[in-house]
Amino acid sequence: MVEYNNIKLNRKSNQYLYIQLYNELKSMILNGVLTPHTKLPPIRRLANLLKINNATVVNAYKLLEQEDLVYKKVGSGTFVKNINNKDIRYIETHSEERYLDEKNRNIINSNQIQINKNTINFASATPTPDLFPVTEFKSVLNEVLDRDRGNAFGYQESQGYLPLRKAIKKYLINSNIITTIDSIQIISGAQQGIDILSKALIDYGDIVFTENPTYAGAISSFKSRGARIIGIPIEKDGIDIKALENKLKSFKPKFIYVMPNFQNPTGYSYSVEKKNKLLELAYKHDLFIIEDDYLSDLSFFSSNNQTLKSLDTENKVIYIKSFSKIFMPGLRLAFMVTPISIYNKVIAAKHMSDISTSGLIQRAFDLYLRKGIWKKHINYMENIYKKRFEIMSDSIKKYIPKEVKYDLPKGGLNFWFSLPDKYSSWDLYNFSLKNNIIFMPGSIFYVNKEDDHHFRISIASIYSSQIENSIKYFSEVINSFLKKTNNEIEKGDSYRPIL
Ligand SMILES: Cc1ncc(COP(=O)(O)O)c(C=O)c1O
């Protein structure tokens, strides 16, 4: 029997009662207290029980329906949906390319996006499989199986395998992050970290700040929790501090989500001044910063790749470290360093998500770190990516048409371009696709998809030997596109406003 009278609503809170009720019912659904197909109480009964208006219940039920957590049966009432199916769909749509919007899904549906072996893939920011250290990983896996036998297959504690947390604590000292093993949370990929933090920290209607453009997976997670996202422009030396200060005068965000080193998608890094200024503002406004460090290891031509976490003296930075771009994305392994003040919420959200990250993988990675194989692997990856990066930078300077503007980054995997205002990167995408080239149109990285003339290319999935020719060919394709589109604009038969 579900105890609805345990629902606590705070009439003194400045959050609307219907949002509080919605949040309570939502956690009951996500925690499994309300099981699939359970009927929610009739509106009047719940309103009487909680001593609130009928409209408050109606609005809370409406929100649950909008979030796809309940369904209505005409004449019978409101019922809890089976959310397991939803989780499966979410996992399937994890990879970055899947955040492409409706327009691209149509392209995929109409079979135009055949990524065959001749397609030049500038879109994907995932390492090529030949870079994965399969032999070394096989040997640590075998060692774990011989050592731990069945223990490697039991449930692992939600916070993470203790020896691995100890190894990570030690590893972090190299990047000047001094922390405790209690502050380290193992997660199944940085995307899960973002999602867990969203679950733990965001209530429906809360405000969240991000850089704009930003990582599309973060936008999706925050939106899925009902957050209102305010995007702060990013400049080539970091976030626009003036714009941030102005927004902080009008809004009290739950947190700001940033990538201070080799930002995705722009590749830009914050200057030391902007890193310090951002921390200063966080301290002044009592604001959490979520730092997504997915790439600081790949700093080829800059020594300014300190993480915010290493500069944070007041424990306001929640640090997320992914191993996907420098190790093996399919392991689904990453970690967070979180302030102890949010420990309880984080651990509850992690447990709700997947109970724990695979114990077997954690044990294997622990050995991998301790044996120092990790360091060798990072050096190896750095060398490969650095070579690709240099060839890419030289080729861009040599071939990319002058109408297309860019600021070359000093490391990382991504390069960001802007077309002249009247051209659409979606149109260029469609045109390039027909010529066997794919890249990421910029609009997916904008909070409201508001910009249509930027695009991102990545070196992760393209070999050094292919880069120069591919950029030369891409530049020819861009030139034809500019010419063709210009003719169409002059004829007036293609140009349409971007809404
Ligand atoms: C900025 C950023 N954060 C997080 C992720 C997700 O990483 P993971 O594979 O560790 O979940 C990505 C993946 O592309 C990313 O670009």
Side-chain angles (χ1 to χ4, degrees), residues 295-347:
L295 268 190
S296 68
D297 311 78
L298 298 182
S299 179
F300 308 127
F301 299 106
S302 160
S303 52
N304 168 30
N305 62 336
Q306 302 99 322
T307 59
L308 282 183
K309 187 69 202 162
S310 67
L311 304 169
D312 174 25
T313 51
E314 298 196 13
N315 222 357
K316 277 289 169 199
V317 176
I318 305 170
Y319 176 74
I320 307 181
K321 176 80 188 160
S322 169
F323 294 122
S324 290
K325 308 296 174 195
I326 43 174
F327 196 44
M328 300 190 272
L331 284 187
R332 308 312 302 134
L333 188 69
F335 69 88
M336 298 198 281
V337 179
T338 61
I340 296 294
S341 57
I342 59 166
Y343 169 87
N344 284 339
K345 285 182 174 174
V346 168
I347 201 91

Side-chain angles (χ1 to χ4, degrees), residues 428 431-432 435 437 473-482:
L428 175 62
F431 189 77
S432 303
N435 291 287
I437 300 176
Y473 174 58
F474 185 35
S475 301
E476 286 161 14
V477 168
I478 297 176
N479 263 327
S480 315
F481 166 78
L482 294 175

Side-chain angles (χ1 to χ4, degrees), residues 372-396:
I373 319 174
W374 169 254
K375 266 204 193 109
K376 272 195 246 152
H377 178 69
I378 290 283
N379 288 343
Y380 167 76
M381 292 293 263
E382 247 182 325
N383 285 336
I384 303 251
Y385 281 144
K386 186 172 179 196
K387 187 162 176 215
R388 291 185 190 178
F389 186 92
E390 282 178 313
I391 303 175
M392 179 61 95
S393 304
D394 290 346
S395 308
I396 288 171

Side-chain angles (χ1 to χ4, degrees), residues 94 96 188-192 194 215 257 259 264 292 294 322-325 329 332-334:
H94 168 75
E96 212 183 4
S188 310
Q191 179 64 36
Q192 188 190 51
I194 296 168
Y215 168 53
Y257 165 81
M259 289 162 270
N264 185 9
D292 185 347
Y294 76 118
S322 169
F323 294 122
S324 290
K325 308 296 174 195
R332 308 312 302 134
L333 188 69

Side-chain angles (χ1 to χ4, degrees), residues 43 69 171 208 233 367:
I43 289 163
L69 293 167
Y171 157 82
V208 160
L367 267 193

Side-chain angles (χ1 to χ4, degrees), residues 144-352:
V144 167
L145 291 175
D146 289 340
R147 186 192 69 192
D148 297 352
R149 318 288 304 168
N151 292 328
F153 296 105
Y155 277 120
Q156 199 62 63
E157 69 238 67
S158 294
Q159 194 172 7
Y161 179 56
L162 184 61
L164 174 61
R165 284 190 282 131
K166 286 185 179 160
I168 286 174
K169 175 179 176 300
K170 207 161 143 206
Y171 157 82
L172 283 172
I173 295 173
N174 299 325
S175 32
N176 286 323
I177 297 177
I178 312 299
T179 187
T180 63
I181 46 171
D182 289 336
S183 306
I184 297 172
Q185 170 69 55
I186 307 293
I187 43 182
S188 310
Q191 179 64 36
Q192 188 190 51
I194 296 168
D195 207 50
I196 282 176
L197 291 171
S198 307
K199 267 189 201 149
L201 302 178
I202 298 175
D203 290 319
Y204 187 87
D206 277 348
I207 288 167
V208 160
F209 284 5
T210 66
E211 296 153 338
N212 203 24
T214 187
Y215 168 53
I219 301 178
S220 292
S221 257
F222 303 152
K223 283 193 175 163
S224 78
R225 302 285 149 201
R228 275 177 60 201
I229 306 178
I230 294 184
I232 313 287
I234 177 109
E235 302 170 323
K236 65 180 181 198
D237 64 344
I239 200 158
D240 180 342
I241 293 286
K242 280 251 152 56
L244 175 60
E245 282 176 324
N246 271 336
K247 292 288 179 203
L248 281 170
K249 283 182 195 150
S250 321
F251 299 101
K252 172 92 182 108
K254 268 286 162 81
F255 55 75
I256 178 167
Y257 165 81
V258 295
M259 289 162 270
N261 294 300
F262 316 120
Q263 202 253 5
N264 185 9
T266 59
Y268 300 158
S269 292
Y270 287 37
S271 62
V272 181
E273 293 73 32
K274 284 201 172 175
K275 284 180 183 169
N276 285 321
K277 189 69 198 172
L278 177 57
L279 285 169
E280 210 180 279
L281 286 172
Y283 302 155
K284 181 170 160 201
H285 293 269
D286 191 22
L287 173 67
F288 277 127
I289 300 174
I290 298 183
E291 174 178 29
D292 185 347
D293 177 8
Y294 76 118
L295 268 190
S296 68
D297 311 78
L298 298 182
S299 179
F300 308 127
F301 299 106
S302 160
S303 52
N304 168 30
N305 62 336
Q306 302 99 322
T307 59
L308 282 183
K309 187 69 202 162
S310 67
L311 304 169
D312 174 25
T313 51
E314 298 196 13
N315 222 357
K316 277 289 169 199
V317 176
I318 305 170
Y319 176 74
I320 307 181
K321 176 80 188 160
S322 169
F323 294 122
S324 290
K325 308 296 174 195
I326 43 174
F327 196 44
M328 300 190 272
L331 284 187
R332 308 312 302 134
L333 188 69
F335 69 88
M336 298 198 281
V337 179
T338 61
I340 296 294
S341 57
I342 59 166
Y343 169 87
N344 284 339
K345 285 182 174 174
V346 168
I347 201 91
K350 167 68 182 168
H351 191 87
M352 230 192 286

